[in-house]
Amino acid sequence: RDKVVVVTGASRGIGFATSRVFGEEGARVVMAARNAETLERSAEAIRGETGCTVHTMACDLTKEDQCARLVAFAERTHGRIDILVNNASGKLPIGEFATMTSEAWLTAWTNKLQIYVTLARQVFPIMQRQNGGRIINVIGAHAARNPAPSYLPIGVISAGLINFVKGLADLGAKHQILVTGVSPAGVDTGERWQSWLARRAASEGKTIEEVSAEKSEYSLGRPAKPEEIADVICFLGSS
Ligand code: NAD
């Protein structure tokens, strides 16, 4: 209750579900995503359902100055930042290693890993001054631990972020900054999930049905729901 939470990639999927569950707990939520209209619509839904205080900022977090603008906005509005949920990710490339360009690899890097690192670096001194905070990173354990030839960059980025979380957690511990990673396998987030299945199918020469039927990745025999991931994130943000 009353904690200030910045959620990136908040307009839909896991970020939206996370913003809503923090709203239900009475937190003050700052939602960030690329598209202003979709973001405001999502924020309005959460305000209506939960009655909590929600602010929005449309931004492209691959740009360092826009990360800084978001962090400054949250701190100026609420005087502190208790929790950062690093969740925003642009599209990550899928395809053959031999034909994947350096540009595609660098875009993958910028579209996820660099956003997480930049925002963590920017909120860290604020949390140090407060003597506490939470940095929760949504990663992807399956890709991190099971390298798949058709989406190597996703595996590399996920494994890198898991390493980053552990290192930053050690650094944050003495300042009461708890740094954690939440690593789902597949989560049915609608558009991203469907596009992921379609792109994987195309790259592996299978049908979408064949790819969806590969349930070995999911212990429950189905992809997770965004709300299930959001509950874990909210727990990690709680006292
Ligand atoms: P999604 O595609 O449904 O939503 C992505 C959100 O990120 C959107 O709000 C979008 O506006 C925002 N975003 C993207 N690029 C941005 C940028 N440059 N600046 C600001 N905002 C930006 O995603 P999702 O499926 O909910 O996934 C959320 C996170 O969880 C991602 O980091 C993803 O890699 C990770 N993840 C997802 C799954 C899955 O199966 N869906 C599995 C494991 C990990």
Side-chain angles (χ1 to χ4, degrees):
R1 174 163 293 281
D2 290 332
K3 284 190 176 164
V4 179
V5 190
V6 176
V7 182
T8 70
S11 63
R12 60 185 201 199
I14 297 170
F16 174 70
T18 299
S19 304
R20 184 167 56 198
V21 81
F22 272 117
E24 283 164 359
E25 294 293 332
R28 292 174 282 170
V29 187
V30 179
M31 297 169 67
R34 284 169 305 192
N35 185 299
E37 214 176 294
T38 322
L39 182 61
E40 192 44 48
R41 228 185 357 255
S42 303
E44 200 44 46
I46 294 175
R47 288 185 196 108
E49 275 179 44
T50 69
C52 77
T53 307
V54 182
H55 289 86
T56 58
M57 174 164 286
C59 46
D60 176 1
L61 296 170
T62 60
K63 311 272 187 297
E64 185 159 353
D65 62 332
Q66 302 215 16
C67 290
R69 198 162 63 90
L70 170 64
V71 170
F73 170 74
E75 200 191 12
R76 195 172 60 243
T77 306
H78 296 295
R80 56 188 295 116
I81 297 175
D82 296 297
I83 301 162
L84 166 68
V85 181
N86 258 333
N87 168 77
S89 166
K91 216 180 219 175
L92 304 175
I94 296 181
E96 272 198 38
F97 175 64
T99 52
M100 198 174 284
T101 62
S102 295
E103 200 186 347
W105 274 90
L106 283 173
T107 305
W109 210 253
T110 313
N111 269 349
K112 179 155 178 167
L113 188 136
Q114 201 55 38
I115 300 180
Y116 283 35
V117 171
T118 304
L119 281 170
R121 201 181 60 230
Q122 291 177 348
V123 300
F124 202 86
I126 296 171
M127 292 180 175
Q128 263 180 309
R129 279 199 299 278
Q130 292 168 183
N131 198 30
R134 306 286 163 94
I135 301 175
I136 304 165
N137 303 275
V138 182
I139 311 180
H142 188 82
R145 300 199 184 109
N146 303 277
S150 61
Y151 48 93
L152 287 171
I154 298 178
V156 171
I157 287 167
S158 305
L161 278 172
I162 286 174
N163 189 290
F164 171 70
V165 161
K166 173 70 176 108
L168 196 64
D170 289 342
L171 198 64
K174 57 178 169 295
H175 307 287
Q176 311 303 318
I177 302 171
L178 181 65
V179 185
T180 50
V182 173
S183 272
V187 186
D188 188 352
T189 53
E191 203 181 305
R192 189 188 187 96
W193 176 247
Q194 290 307 325
S195 133
W196 160 254
L197 291 177
R199 292 194 302 139
R200 251 186 77 183
S203 129
E204 294 171 15
K206 296 175 183 161
T207 63
I208 294 182
E209 290 68 32
E210 280 168 339
V211 173
S212 335
E214 285 170 9
K215 301 232 169 94
S216 59
E217 293 176 21
Y218 321 120
S219 321
L220 296 176
R222 61 162 175 85
K225 298 173 192 153
E227 294 71 25
E228 292 169 325
I229 311 306
D231 283 343
V232 175
I233 295 170
C234 188
F235 168 69
L236 289 172
S238 71
S239 307

